[in-house]
Amino acid sequence: MKIVAIIQARMGSSRLPRKVLSDIAGRTMIDRIIERVSAASLIDEIVVATTLSKDDDVLAGHVLAGSAAGVFRGSMDDVLSRYYECARLHGATHIVRITADDPLKDPQIIDRAVRLLLDDASLAYCSNTIAPTFPEGLDVEAFTFAALETAHREAQLPSEREHVTPYIWKNSALFKAMNFTHDTELQDWRWTVDKPQDLEFMQHVYTQFQDQPLVPYQAVIKWLESNPHIRLLNADTIRNEGYFKSLKSEEK
Protein backbone atom coordinates (compact mmCIF):
# COMPACT_ATOMS: atom_id res chain seq x y z
CA MET A 1 0.00 0.00 0.00
CA LYS A 2 1.25 3.47 -0.87
CA ILE A 3 -0.63 6.70 -0.22
CA VAL A 4 0.51 9.59 -2.38
CA ALA A 5 -0.61 13.18 -1.97
CA ILE A 6 -0.63 14.82 -5.39
CA ILE A 7 -0.63 18.61 -5.37
CA GLN A 8 -1.82 20.04 -8.68
CA ALA A 9 -0.05 23.32 -9.38
CA ARG A 10 0.89 25.60 -12.23
CA MET A 11 2.12 29.15 -12.62
CA GLY A 12 -0.67 30.29 -14.93
CA SER A 13 -3.65 32.03 -13.34
CA SER A 14 -5.86 34.54 -15.13
CA ARG A 15 -6.89 36.38 -11.98
CA LEU A 16 -3.74 36.09 -9.85
CA PRO A 17 -0.68 35.29 -12.01
CA ARG A 18 2.11 33.26 -10.37
CA LYS A 19 -0.01 32.89 -7.25
CA VAL A 20 1.49 29.52 -6.36
CA LEU A 21 4.80 31.30 -5.59
CA SER A 22 3.11 34.26 -3.89
CA ASP A 23 4.68 35.29 -0.60
CA ILE A 24 2.50 34.63 2.43
CA ALA A 25 4.11 36.13 5.55
CA GLY A 26 7.60 35.18 4.47
CA ARG A 27 7.10 31.86 2.66
CA THR A 28 5.70 30.90 -0.70
CA MET A 29 2.20 29.47 -0.90
CA ILE A 30 3.41 26.17 -2.35
CA ASP A 31 5.95 25.79 0.48
CA ARG A 32 3.25 26.35 3.09
CA ILE A 33 1.01 23.77 1.45
CA ILE A 34 3.78 21.17 1.24
CA GLU A 35 4.69 21.77 4.88
CA ARG A 36 1.13 21.25 6.05
CA VAL A 37 0.51 18.18 3.89
CA SER A 38 3.81 16.72 5.15
CA ALA A 39 2.43 16.85 8.69
CA ALA A 40 -0.30 14.33 7.82
CA SER A 41 0.74 11.02 9.38
CA LEU A 42 -0.84 8.75 6.75
CA ILE A 43 0.86 10.21 3.66
CA ASP A 44 3.77 8.21 2.27
CA GLU A 45 4.88 10.59 -0.47
CA ILE A 46 4.11 14.07 -1.78
CA VAL A 47 4.37 14.99 -5.45
CA VAL A 48 3.69 18.36 -7.06
CA ALA A 49 2.05 17.63 -10.42
CA THR A 50 2.65 20.55 -12.75
CA THR A 51 2.74 20.91 -16.54
CA LEU A 52 5.29 20.57 -19.31
CA SER A 53 4.91 24.27 -20.12
CA LYS A 54 8.12 26.30 -19.98
CA ASP A 55 6.25 28.70 -17.69
CA ASP A 56 6.27 25.99 -15.02
CA ASP A 57 10.04 25.44 -15.11
CA VAL A 58 10.48 27.92 -12.27
CA LEU A 59 7.86 26.16 -10.14
CA ALA A 60 9.41 22.74 -10.69
CA GLY A 61 12.85 24.09 -9.87
CA HIS A 62 11.60 25.81 -6.73
CA VAL A 63 9.94 22.65 -5.40
CA LEU A 64 12.90 20.39 -6.13
CA ALA A 65 15.38 22.84 -4.60
CA GLY A 66 13.63 23.56 -1.36
CA SER A 67 11.16 20.90 -0.24
CA ALA A 68 10.64 17.24 0.47
CA ALA A 69 8.16 16.91 -2.39
CA GLY A 70 8.86 15.39 -5.76
CA VAL A 71 7.76 16.84 -9.10
CA PHE A 72 5.84 15.30 -11.97
CA ARG A 73 5.21 17.15 -15.23
CA GLY A 74 2.36 16.31 -17.56
CA SER A 75 -0.56 17.66 -19.55
CA MET A 76 -1.50 21.31 -19.15
CA ASP A 77 -5.24 21.00 -19.78
CA ASP A 78 -5.98 17.33 -19.09
CA VAL A 79 -5.42 17.38 -15.34
CA LEU A 80 -7.02 13.96 -14.93
CA SER A 81 -4.37 12.51 -17.24
CA ARG A 82 -1.67 14.34 -15.27
CA TYR A 83 -2.96 12.81 -12.02
CA TYR A 84 -3.22 9.32 -13.48
CA GLU A 85 0.26 9.30 -14.99
CA CYS A 86 1.74 10.77 -11.79
CA ALA A 87 0.01 8.20 -9.57
CA ARG A 88 0.99 5.34 -11.88
CA LEU A 89 4.63 6.41 -12.03
CA HIS A 90 4.86 6.67 -8.24
CA GLY A 91 3.12 3.36 -7.56
CA ALA A 92 0.21 4.86 -5.63
CA THR A 93 -2.52 2.55 -4.39
CA HIS A 94 -4.41 5.50 -2.89
CA ILE A 95 -4.29 9.18 -3.84
CA VAL A 96 -5.05 12.34 -1.91
CA ARG A 97 -5.89 15.25 -4.18
CA ILE A 98 -4.53 18.60 -3.03
CA THR A 99 -4.92 21.89 -4.89
CA ALA A 100 -2.10 24.43 -4.71
CA ASP A 101 -4.30 27.41 -3.91
CA ASP A 102 -5.26 26.26 -0.40
CA PRO A 103 -2.44 27.20 2.02
CA LEU A 104 -4.43 26.22 5.13
CA LYS A 105 -4.86 22.56 4.15
CA ASP A 106 -5.04 20.70 7.45
CA PRO A 107 -3.19 17.46 8.26
CA GLN A 108 -5.98 16.37 10.63
CA ILE A 109 -8.54 16.51 7.83
CA ILE A 110 -6.21 14.79 5.37
CA ASP A 111 -5.65 11.93 7.81
CA ARG A 112 -9.37 11.69 8.52
CA ALA A 113 -10.17 11.27 4.81
CA VAL A 114 -7.47 8.65 4.32
CA ARG A 115 -8.42 6.72 7.45
CA LEU A 116 -12.08 6.56 6.44
CA LEU A 117 -11.11 5.37 2.97
CA LEU A 118 -8.83 2.65 4.30
CA ASP A 119 -11.25 1.48 6.98
CA ASP A 120 -13.86 0.45 4.39
CA ALA A 121 -12.47 -1.77 1.64
CA SER A 122 -15.59 -1.18 -0.46
CA LEU A 123 -14.99 2.58 -0.65
CA ALA A 124 -13.50 4.06 -3.81
CA TYR A 125 -13.67 7.72 -2.75
CA CYS A 126 -13.89 9.74 0.46
CA SER A 127 -14.08 13.50 0.80
CA ASN A 128 -15.62 16.45 2.61
CA THR A 129 -16.68 18.09 -0.68
CA ILE A 130 -19.80 16.30 -1.92
CA ALA A 131 -21.90 18.04 0.71
CA PRO A 132 -19.47 20.72 1.92
CA THR A 133 -19.55 21.97 5.50
CA PHE A 134 -15.88 22.93 5.99
CA PRO A 135 -14.52 26.29 4.80
CA GLU A 136 -13.56 26.23 1.13
CA GLY A 137 -9.84 25.58 1.11
CA LEU A 138 -10.01 22.72 3.62
CA ASP A 139 -11.30 20.40 0.87
CA VAL A 140 -9.72 16.96 0.80
CA GLU A 141 -10.41 14.07 -1.58
CA ALA A 142 -8.95 10.58 -1.14
CA PHE A 143 -9.57 7.80 -3.64
CA THR A 144 -8.20 4.52 -4.91
CA PHE A 145 -5.90 4.16 -7.88
CA ALA A 146 -8.44 1.76 -9.41
CA ALA A 147 -11.09 4.51 -9.36
CA LEU A 148 -8.64 7.02 -10.84
CA GLU A 149 -7.68 4.58 -13.57
CA THR A 150 -11.31 4.01 -14.52
CA ALA A 151 -12.02 7.75 -14.55
CA HIS A 152 -8.97 8.36 -16.72
CA ARG A 153 -10.15 5.74 -19.20
CA GLU A 154 -13.86 6.65 -19.28
CA ALA A 155 -14.28 10.35 -18.47
CA GLN A 156 -15.14 12.44 -21.53
CA LEU A 157 -16.45 15.82 -20.40
CA PRO A 158 -13.96 18.71 -20.20
CA SER A 159 -15.05 19.38 -16.60
CA GLU A 160 -14.25 15.78 -15.71
CA ARG A 161 -10.80 16.00 -17.27
CA GLU A 162 -10.02 19.41 -15.73
CA HIS A 163 -11.27 18.77 -12.19
CA VAL A 164 -10.06 15.15 -11.85
CA THR A 165 -12.72 13.58 -9.64
CA PRO A 166 -16.23 14.47 -10.93
CA TYR A 167 -16.51 11.24 -12.94
CA ILE A 168 -15.92 9.28 -9.71
CA TRP A 169 -18.30 11.07 -7.36
CA LYS A 170 -21.02 11.51 -10.00
CA ASN A 171 -21.16 7.78 -10.79
CA SER A 172 -22.50 6.24 -7.60
CA ALA A 173 -23.40 3.01 -9.43
CA LEU A 174 -19.72 2.43 -10.20
CA PHE A 175 -17.99 3.87 -7.15
CA LYS A 176 -18.93 3.81 -3.48
CA ALA A 177 -18.29 7.25 -2.05
CA MET A 178 -18.36 8.74 1.44
CA ASN A 179 -18.69 12.35 2.55
CA PHE A 180 -17.67 13.46 6.04
CA THR A 181 -18.76 16.73 7.63
CA HIS A 182 -17.78 19.43 10.09
CA ASP A 183 -19.82 19.83 13.25
CA THR A 184 -20.92 23.32 12.20
CA GLU A 185 -21.89 24.73 8.80
CA LEU A 186 -18.96 26.82 7.56
CA GLN A 187 -19.18 26.15 3.82
CA ASP A 188 -19.56 29.86 3.07
CA TRP A 189 -16.17 30.69 4.60
CA ARG A 190 -13.44 31.13 1.98
CA TRP A 191 -9.89 29.90 2.70
CA THR A 192 -8.61 29.54 -0.86
CA VAL A 193 -6.51 31.88 -2.99
CA ASP A 194 -7.67 32.92 -6.44
CA LYS A 195 -7.96 36.70 -6.18
CA PRO A 196 -5.98 39.54 -4.55
CA GLN A 197 -8.40 39.76 -1.62
CA ASP A 198 -7.89 36.03 -0.95
CA LEU A 199 -4.15 36.61 -0.69
CA GLU A 200 -4.76 39.55 1.63
CA PHE A 201 -6.88 37.28 3.84
CA MET A 202 -4.08 34.68 4.02
CA GLN A 203 -1.53 37.34 4.90
CA HIS A 204 -3.63 38.31 7.91
CA VAL A 205 -4.04 34.70 9.05
CA TYR A 206 -0.38 33.75 8.76
CA THR A 207 0.77 37.00 10.33
CA GLN A 208 -1.50 36.32 13.29
CA PHE A 209 -0.13 32.79 13.61
CA GLN A 210 3.43 33.53 12.49
CA ASP A 211 4.89 31.25 15.18
CA GLN A 212 2.51 28.41 14.26
CA PRO A 213 2.89 27.46 10.59
CA LEU A 214 0.92 24.28 11.37
CA VAL A 215 -1.82 26.10 13.26
CA PRO A 216 -4.86 23.79 13.53
CA TYR A 217 -7.89 24.85 11.54
CA GLN A 218 -9.95 24.99 14.75
CA ALA A 219 -7.72 27.78 16.09
CA VAL A 220 -8.12 29.74 12.84
CA ILE A 221 -11.90 29.37 13.05
CA LYS A 222 -11.90 30.63 16.63
CA TRP A 223 -9.77 33.65 15.73
CA LEU A 224 -11.91 34.53 12.72
CA GLU A 225 -15.07 34.32 14.82
CA SER A 226 -13.57 37.09 16.94
CA ASN A 227 -12.39 39.02 13.88
CA PRO A 228 -15.26 38.97 11.37
CA HIS A 229 -13.77 41.89 9.43
CA ILE A 230 -10.92 39.57 8.39
CA ARG A 231 -13.22 36.68 7.53
CA LEU A 232 -15.35 38.93 5.31
CA LEU A 233 -12.42 40.27 3.26
CA ASN A 234 -13.04 37.72 0.52
CA ALA A 235 -16.60 36.65 1.21
CA ASP A 236 -18.00 37.85 -2.13
CA THR A 237 -16.92 34.83 -4.22
CA ILE A 238 -19.12 31.77 -4.65
CA ARG A 239 -17.75 28.38 -3.66
CA ASN A 240 -16.27 26.18 -6.41
CA GLU A 241 -16.39 29.05 -8.88
CA GLY A 242 -13.93 27.34 -11.23
CA TYR A 243 -15.92 24.11 -11.46
CA PHE A 244 -19.18 25.94 -12.14
CA LYS A 245 -17.40 27.95 -14.83
CA SER A 246 -16.37 24.68 -16.50
CA LEU A 247 -19.93 23.38 -16.41
CA LYS A 248 -21.25 26.57 -17.95
CA SER A 249 -18.72 26.27 -20.79
CA GLU A 250 -19.98 22.75 -21.52
CA GLU A 251 -23.56 24.02 -21.81
CA LYS A 252 -22.48 26.21 -24.69
Side-chain angles (χ1 to χ4, degrees):
M1 180 184 300
K2 185 176 183 181
I3 303 163
V4 179
I6 300 179
I7 304 173
Q8 66 185 72
R10 53 178 295 192
M11 294 294 287
S13 172
S14 58
R15 285 172 290 197
L16 197 59
R18 299 174 61 90
K19 67 179 180 181
V20 70
L21 293 182
S22 294
D23 180 276
I24 300 177
R27 297 195 66 194
T28 66
M29 183 158 70
I30 190 65
D31 288 341
R32 292 207 177 274
I33 294 170
I34 292 170
E35 180 179 35
R36 292 180 69 87
V37 175
S38 297
S41 62
L42 297 179
I43 298 297
D44 296 313
E45 187 175 3
I46 301 172
V47 183
V48 174
T50 190
T51 83
L52 293 167
S53 168
K54 185 174 177 58
D55 292 342
D56 289 319
D57 289 353
V58 64
L59 171 60
H62 176 86
V63 172
L64 290 174
S67 78
V71 170
F72 174 85
R73 303 187 71 170
S75 173
M76 179 182 297
D77 299 316
D78 189 346
V79 189
L80 176 53
S81 172
R82 198 194 316 166
Y83 258 79
Y84 169 72
E85 296 297 343
C86 177
R88 185 181 62 82
L89 180 66
H90 286 269
T93 59
H94 300 78
I95 299 95
V96 177
R97 179 179 178 234
I98 302 291
T99 47
D101 42 13
D102 299 338
L104 287 172
K105 281 283 192 267
D106 196 279
Q108 300 173 64
I109 301 174
I110 293 170
D111 279 340
R112 183 177 176 187
V114 173
R115 190 172 291 109
L116 287 168
L117 181 66
L118 297 180
D119 283 349
D120 185 346
S122 68
L123 276 181
Y125 173 93
C126 180
S127 79
N128 59 353
T129 64
I130 298 174
T133 54
F134 287 83
E136 183 176 16
L138 294 184
D139 306 342
V140 172
E141 298 175 287
F143 42 92
T144 65
F145 179 78
L148 178 64
E149 187 171 43
T150 300
H152 175 254
R153 184 176 63 248
E154 302 294 340
Q156 300 295 325
L157 295 174
S159 60
E160 295 170 343
R161 308 301 304 188
E162 179 183 356
H163 296 279
V164 181
T165 58
Y167 184 85
I168 300 174
W169 51 259
K170 289 193 305 183
N171 284 284
S172 57
L174 296 176
F175 309 103
K176 182 179 178 181
M178 171 185 284
N179 181 84
F180 63 94
T181 60
H182 191 249
D183 53 6
T184 54
E185 298 276 344
L186 300 178
Q187 67 270 23
D188 293 333
W189 292 28
R190 182 172 169 86
W191 294 10
T192 191
V193 176
D194 197 38
K195 299 177 181 180
Q197 57 265 42
D198 299 325
L199 191 57
E200 180 185 359
F201 169 85
M202 287 298 170
Q203 297 284 10
H204 282 287
V205 172
Y206 269 104
T207 299
Q208 171 65 26
F209 296 101
Q210 57 186 332
D211 298 324
Q212 295 177 264
L214 297 177
V215 56
Y217 74 94
Q218 298 95 328
V220 179
I221 289 172
K222 185 175 181 180
W223 180 67
L224 290 172
E225 287 174 337
S226 300
N227 294 272
H229 63 291
I230 302 297
R231 180 175 65 82
L232 295 174
L233 279 172
N234 60 348
D236 60 346
T237 302
I238 65 168
R239 188 179 183 117
N240 294 326
E241 186 177 52
Y243 179 58
F244 289 123
K245 183 178 179 181
S246 296
L247 293 180
K248 185 168 288 188
S249 295
E250 288 173 357
E251 291 174 0
K252 297 176 182 178

